[in-house]
Amino acid sequence: MNVNGVQRRLWEQSRQHRAHRESDVPLFPVNKYEKRIRGLMDLMHQPQWIAAACDRVLQRSRGKAAGVDGVTAADFQKQRRTELETLRQELRHGKYQPQPLRRVMIPKANGKLRPLGIPCLRDKIVQEAIRMALEPIFEAEFHDSSYGFRPNRSTHHAIFRCRQMMHRGFTWVIEGDVKACFDEISHKAILSCLREKVMDNKFLGLIGRLLKAGVNIDGAVHPTEKGVPQGGVVSPLLANVVLNKLDWFLHGQGQHGVAAEQSRLNGRPNVRFVRYADDWCVFITRGSKRYAGELRDQIQSLLLRECGVELSLEKTHITHVRDGFDFLGFHLELGIGKDGKYVPKIKVPRKAVADAVQSLNSAMRRRPQQESAACRIIRGSAVVRGWSNYFKIGHNFSKVAGLLDHHAFWIAAKALCRKFDLSTAQCLAKYARGSAIGVSKGCTLQRASDIKMSLDFRNPEPYTPGTTTYPDDLDWEADFQMYESHKRPGSMDFKVLALRRDGFRCRKCGAAVTCENSEADHIQPVSSFAHFAQAHLLENVQTLCLACHQEKTRAGRVKKHRESRMLGNLHVRFGVGAEVELLGPHHLNAKSAEGETRRGEDSHGD
């Protein structure tokens, strides 16, 4: 089976169904359900289809937290052929039953906690197989002004589209937000929207079982009667399927083509919109604030009636473009240009800088005392790099980047001062390198000013089945381990030094490695020393690639298991006294000397 070819045929068949449905006129009535897609359940248990889904999931889930069954991507890869065949047979015979999600609470920007659900790896594979089938079908239906969690589209495309609307003279903006969309969206609405394009009860039943799999909270399974799991692979697509109703409703409120030009000449209002998942903006031109309020009420009733969700009134505002509005973390407003005219500008708000400062404090200062300086610098650099790549499209990025660099520099300096018990002068003399700070030349804190501002106004690449990318997948399927890891800190300083000493090569197989795909391995295990500090010396640390490190760890566990079994067999055959044979002559001499001392004390006492 050619997976890409099947996806292309599904996309073409969906386009034909849409054209058939829209060709309905009074003289030639048609059945809009006549050419729906069939036989999708047969794809789910095809070997090539499930293998392609597995490849995508394993590549994306490597290093991520496991579900309730505790199976990680590395564990699944070892038994991949057996596990995939078992999963395929369960899907083929209708015996597949998804496991409950594992609940993880992660912090939000406003200080609250967001509940996320971690599916098991086998459930992720099934969800990816479902998304591979539904994506080409509904990409033929989705509106061009929808940008969230769609192939080849990102938040930057949505922001540039907003700027384009402001440039075209739209004056009023309705900033909308759906109240707890992913937690409250109706299962009935999801399945109803899917039935408009898909005629396969077994396939829809599979999606229904995934939606009602339940959530494991503190060992107790709670049923899910509504919502889609935040963290599920197919959840964003299902949300887009339902909110597509909102898109085409707003499309119908506006005028397009020749009708738009006639509306402009007659002074009638016109409407455009931009939606990213459950956040959206409606732009109105030649209309009043009262007109915007009436449209907001219509949107509220439509969401409740068609989608089973409510409009968040506290987050929905009607503003004028001159006053500015916030969307996807940016602040958009009409500013005065060099020629004195109004120019739409994308700005990085101060709140974004404040949030980045909080993240830098958490990454470098609020860490265990044992955590190494290099580990703190690497964490802080990741925060700065991610923040800069997102906000580099802002018109004031250069100015704000300098402010963030100032905060990051002194946060890192205070973290180093506290860790090594240094004064500020001593810390700057040892670790400052011009305007940067770091523990070595190869481990320096990333500067936001080094990332150039970028204004790329190109439209998204057109959808091509089978060759698409999802820029937002990593944001949606978050690395939950950063919130639950309890790894022993303190190895990063020696890891950088050992990498340099070993020439950035694995000591066992000689493969070229970097800091990300290598491990700082203790030559003599830590358990053979009286204290961790005695084992954690550069002479006892070597660079190993991930494969060699896993092989050594596995061999150590096998050896320890064999020794424990051998000792247990000796206890069973000869009693506890057989342990003397394993102690050696120096232990026997020590025990005999201890016995003579005790006998001397006893005789002295007599």
Side-chain angles (χ1 to χ4, degrees):
M1 173 192 288
N2 185 350
V3 175
N4 294 344
V6 173
Q7 287 185 308
R8 176 170 291 278
R9 288 199 299 271
L10 289 174
W11 181 57
E12 293 174 351
Q13 187 176 350
S14 179
R15 294 177 64 188
Q16 292 174 5
H17 172 255
R18 178 179 174 180
H20 169 77
R21 186 182 69 244
E22 293 177 349
S23 65
D24 184 19
V25 294
L27 294 178
F28 303 98
V30 298
N31 182 5
K32 63 180 181 180
Y33 298 113
E34 182 180 349
K35 295 189 176 183
R36 290 181 293 174
I37 314 297
R38 303 168 185 264
L40 292 183
M41 193 61 194
D42 294 336
L43 286 177
M44 296 300 103
H45 54 78
Q46 291 294 326
Q48 296 87 348
W49 192 270
I50 199 82
C54 181
D55 291 338
R56 297 186 184 187
V57 170
L58 291 180
Q59 181 180 7
R60 191 170 56 241
S61 300
R62 197 169 302 279
K64 303 292 179 65
V68 294
D69 58 357
V71 178
T72 62
D75 298 333
F76 193 91
Q77 183 65 39
K78 297 174 185 177
Q79 305 291 332
R80 169 176 173 151
R81 180 176 298 180
T82 304
E83 293 288 346
L84 273 188
E85 181 61 23
T86 303
L87 182 60
R88 192 178 74 83
Q89 293 298 334
E90 290 179 6
L91 290 169
R92 181 179 181 180
H93 298 290
K95 297 180 180 180
Y96 168 77
Q97 184 61 41
Q99 299 186 56
L101 304 169
R102 184 160 71 90
R103 174 61 56 86
V104 173
M105 307 297 292
I106 68 170
K108 296 172 65 175
N110 56 7
K112 298 182 181 180
L113 293 177
R114 171 182 296 161
L116 296 186
I118 308 177
C120 298
L121 199 65
R122 65 198 313 268
D123 295 338
K124 285 185 180 181
I125 295 173
V126 175
Q127 291 187 32
E128 181 65 33
I130 292 174
R131 181 169 78 166
M132 289 166 54
L134 290 180
E135 172 206 299
I137 295 174
F138 282 94
E139 278 296 323
E141 295 283 343
F142 287 156
H143 199 280
D144 287 339
S145 295
S146 170
Y147 295 91
F149 302 104
R150 291 184 57 191
N152 304 330
R153 292 168 177 251
S154 65
T155 53
H156 290 176
H157 291 125
I159 293 297
F160 290 144
R161 177 62 174 171
C162 291
R163 181 185 179 278
Q164 186 182 42
M165 293 298 99
M166 297 170 65
H167 187 74
R168 291 183 179 179
F170 287 82
T171 53
W172 290 101
V173 181
I174 306 175
E175 311 166 54
D177 184 84
V178 179
K179 185 177 181 180
C181 176
F182 292 98
D183 297 329
E184 299 292 334
I185 195 167
S186 169
H187 291 175
K188 182 179 178 180
I190 293 174
L191 296 175
S192 176
C193 293
L194 291 176
R195 285 193 182 94
E196 294 181 2
K197 296 290 295 183
V198 177
M199 187 177 180
D200 190 330
N201 289 333
K202 292 183 178 180
F203 181 76
L204 296 176
L206 174 63
I207 296 177
R209 292 199 300 274
L210 285 169
L211 293 175
K212 298 186 180 297
V215 180
N216 189 307
I217 304 176
D218 297 330
V221 178
H222 298 259
T224 50
E225 300 297 334
K226 57 183 178 179
V228 291
Q230 296 192 52
V233 179
V234 76
S235 298
L237 175 59
L238 296 179
N240 276 333
V241 167
V242 176
L243 294 178
N244 191 46
K245 298 279 188 181
L246 173 64
D247 296 346
W248 288 104
F249 167 77
L250 293 173
H251 177 87
Q253 299 299 310
Q255 304 294 328
H256 306 271
V258 178
E261 181 64 20
Q262 299 231 344
S263 296
R264 187 185 68 82
L265 296 175
N266 296 331
R268 293 196 301 267
N270 205 354
V271 175
R272 293 291 185 272
F273 74 96
V274 176
R275 184 177 67 83
Y276 187 92
D278 56 341
D279 294 326
W280 42 269
C281 290
V282 178
F283 295 87
I284 302 171
T285 183
R286 299 183 300 276
S288 62
K289 189 173 183 179
R290 180 178 177 180
Y291 177 86
E294 294 174 354
L295 182 57
R296 179 193 58 189
D297 295 339
Q298 295 178 30
I299 294 172
Q300 182 179 8
S301 62
L302 173 85
L303 289 174
L304 189 60
R305 182 179 66 255
E306 299 287 343
C307 308
V309 293
E310 297 182 7
L311 187 67
S312 179
L313 296 178
E314 61 272 12
K315 295 182 180 179
T316 302
H317 309 284
I318 300 175
T319 57
H320 198 278
V321 292
R322 293 184 184 176
D323 298 329
F325 61 97
D326 296 326
F327 187 54
L328 300 178
F330 291 91
H331 182 76
L332 293 92
E333 64 178 20
L334 283 179
I336 304 297
K338 294 182 180 180
D339 55 356
K341 297 181 179 180
Y342 283 109
V343 178
K345 293 186 177 181
I346 305 169
K347 290 191 174 182
V348 183
R350 286 298 182 98
K351 184 180 181 298
V353 180
D355 293 341
V357 169
Q358 291 293 330
S359 299
L360 287 170
N361 277 312
S362 301
M364 292 191 288
R365 291 188 66 187
R366 303 184 190 124
R367 305 299 304 171
Q369 183 65 22
Q370 302 94 331
E371 187 168 272
S372 67
C375 186
R376 298 168 190 247
I377 295 298
I378 291 174
R379 287 178 182 270
S381 297
V383 172
V384 174
R385 195 179 304 111
W387 185 92
S388 302
N389 287 330
Y390 184 77
F391 288 105
K392 65 182 180 181
I393 65 172
H395 288 82
N396 61 336
F397 173 74
S398 301
K399 179 180 178 180
V400 177
L403 179 62
L404 181 64
D405 288 338
H406 171 79
H407 287 293
F409 181 92
W410 287 108
I411 289 172
K414 291 176 183 177
L416 295 175
C417 288
R418 181 180 178 183
K419 176 172 176 58
F420 299 113
D421 194 17
L422 300 174
S423 66
T424 304
Q426 292 172 331
C427 177
L428 296 180
K430 187 174 182 180
Y431 297 109
R433 289 167 175 78
S435 57
I437 188 169
V439 295
S440 65
K441 187 177 180 181
C443 186
T444 306
L445 184 65
Q446 174 75 50
R447 297 179 71 251
S449 302
D450 294 338
I451 297 178
K452 296 182 179 180
M453 175 183 173
S454 174
L455 291 177
D456 188 357
F457 298 110
R458 288 179 296 181
N459 292 326
E461 295 292 329
Y463 175 72
T464 303
T467 59
T468 53
T469 59
Y470 298 84
D472 303 314
D473 261 5
L474 294 179
D475 297 333
W476 178 254
E477 193 177 357
D479 188 357
F480 302 105
Q481 280 188 331
M482 66 180 295
Y483 303 107
E484 56 181 17
S485 60
H486 301 285
K487 295 182 179 179
R488 181 181 60 211
S491 62
M492 287 304 297
D493 285 329
F494 283 119
K495 182 173 183 178
V496 174
L497 297 176
L499 272 170
R500 273 210 216 135
R501 181 200 61 196
D502 298 335
F504 290 89
R505 290 192 174 275
C506 174
R507 272 215 188 169
K508 186 174 181 181
C509 66
V513 294
T514 62
C515 189
E516 287 75 17
N517 61 1
S518 64
E519 290 285 352
D521 175 70
H522 291 94
I523 301 174
Q524 294 293 330
V526 178
S527 58
S528 62
F529 293 87
H531 192 268
F532 176 69
Q534 298 176 2
H536 198 55
L537 299 174
L538 185 59
E539 294 78 12
N540 194 41
V541 176
Q542 64 178 348
T543 301
L544 292 181
C545 64
L546 297 179
C548 292
H549 185 263
Q550 290 178 1
E551 182 180 352
K552 181 183 176 183
T553 303
R554 192 181 306 111
R557 289 175 180 171
V558 172
K559 181 180 178 183
K560 186 176 180 181
H561 180 65
R562 288 177 179 174
E563 291 178 351
S564 63
R565 287 186 61 185
M566 184 173 63
L567 183 60
N569 292 335
L570 287 173
H571 284 176
V572 172
R573 293 182 60 188
F574 304 108
V576 182
E579 190 176 356
V580 176
E581 299 179 9
L582 302 176
L583 296 178
H586 58 285
H587 289 283
L588 292 176
N589 294 337
K591 284 184 175 290
S592 61
E594 181 181 0
E596 293 177 0
T597 303
R598 289 183 178 176
R599 285 195 295 271
E601 292 176 353
D602 293 340
S603 61
H604 180 72
D606 292 336

